[in-house]
Amino acid sequence: GILLNGPSGTGKTTFMQKYSQTVDFPIFSINLGLESPKFVNEIEDKLKALFRSAMNTQPSMIFIDEINEISLESNSTLTTLIKCISAI
């Protein structure tokens, strides 16, 4: 896996968008900053579906944008994400 880390506005998302145009496999993505925190179950379902799609389409890559939006208070979403990653 690859972790792109840095402050907002440093080009992480742009890098992935450009990178996705150069590879011969699909990149599945989700922007957690655009997801409504009111619907935690919905976010968890989207994460599960994202990982399921990627696992069914190998090789592939998953890009989770604004992962820092997962609040530590949203323990179930964090747990779901960890379970999805562990299943790979």
Side-chain angles (χ1 to χ4, degrees):
I2 300 171
L3 176 64
L4 301 176
N5 185 25
S8 296
T10 57
K12 298 177 297 293
T13 302
T14 302
F15 171 79
M16 283 307 298
Q17 289 168 341
K18 295 295 181 186
Y19 179 73
S20 70
Q21 297 170 0
T22 67
V23 295
D24 290 333
F25 52 83
I27 296 180
F28 298 92
S29 65
I30 187 170
N31 184 328
L32 296 178
L34 299 178
E35 299 297 326
S36 173
K38 291 188 288 187
F39 304 109
V40 173
N41 291 340
E42 195 173 299
I43 295 170
E44 291 174 14
D45 290 343
K46 286 181 180 183
L47 283 170
K48 289 176 188 176
L50 182 83
F51 275 82
R52 196 174 312 113
S53 295
M55 287 175 30
N56 290 332
T57 312
Q58 294 184 21
S60 62
M61 181 180 276
I62 297 172
F63 178 58
I64 303 173
D65 201 6
E66 298 192 34
I67 196 168
N68 56 306
E69 292 298 319
I70 294 180
S71 169
L72 293 178
E73 296 166 8
S74 175
N75 195 29
S76 61
T77 301
L78 187 57
T79 301
T80 298
L81 180 58
I82 291 169
K83 285 180 182 178
C84 289
I85 293 169
S86 298
I88 295 176

